Amino acid sequence: MMKENIPPTENTNTQEKNQDNWQGVVRDWSADKQTFDMPWGKLMMWIFLLSDTFIFSIFLTAYMNVRMSAMDSWPNSSEVFALTIAGHHIPLVLIAIMTFVLITSSGTMAMAVNYAYRGDKKKTVYFMAATALLGALFVGMQAFEWTKLIVDEGIRPWGNPMGAAQFGAAFFMITGFHGMHVSAGVIYLAVIARKVARGDYEKKGYHIVEITGLYWHFVDLVWVFIFAFFYLW
């Protein structure tokens, strides 16, 4: 079989072309040009959320390990988180309402981002405020839940009269850490909504509303996993 002979001139031109391409890439990166079409703040938020994902994953993995290795019986979530309303013992009713509120807040946040990119400042502020109010309502219900468990049931981070002692530590750690995120998100939403109302982003653009939405949707998604692993299991 005969080899195809490539003219030296053509081979040289190909090498020079490849070298020019790589030099162009080096010049673009060294000149601090925008390589990817993404605002810096949005990229930093994604990195932060990635790191937070690892933390919540470790917490939930540790919870599952503790629960499966506990020597004492694990409390029944349907009984622990039940409320008595009009003489009826209803399991997980408060948790269901909290979940509904948080999922609804994801919808209002999505509407806020939509109207922000449309340039409708008034509706953007309205839906961001609605999201913050729903988040505050969630935190209030969580405070009620904690008070009921601490005062009425006697559950502590270091003890639990209803079964395995690790239950209190796992519950207060996981839901407390998530509650801190929701509380921070409510403050974050309120600050950004105020700045949008003042017109601080009319020249810069409304990327900050989408960035705020990324954080809020992440908080809502994490709650879905907490709800499934902690309350339904």
Side-chain angles (χ1 to χ4, degrees), residues 105-122:
S105 71
S106 266
T108 56
M109 188 68 239
M111 294 295 292
V113 174
N114 181 35
Y115 281 112
Y117 280 117
R118 290 185 184 184
D120 194 331
K121 185 172 67 176
K122 184 177 180 181

Side-chain angles (χ1 to χ4, degrees), residues 159-171:
N160 172 32
M162 305 177 70
Q166 299 93 326
F167 175 83
F171 171 77

Side-chain angles (χ1 to χ4, degrees), residues 91-112:
L92 298 176
V93 60
L94 180 63
I95 310 304
I97 296 173
M98 291 168 63
T99 304
F100 175 77
V101 166
L102 211 54
I103 292 176
T104 302
S105 71
S106 266
T108 56
M109 188 68 239
M111 294 295 292

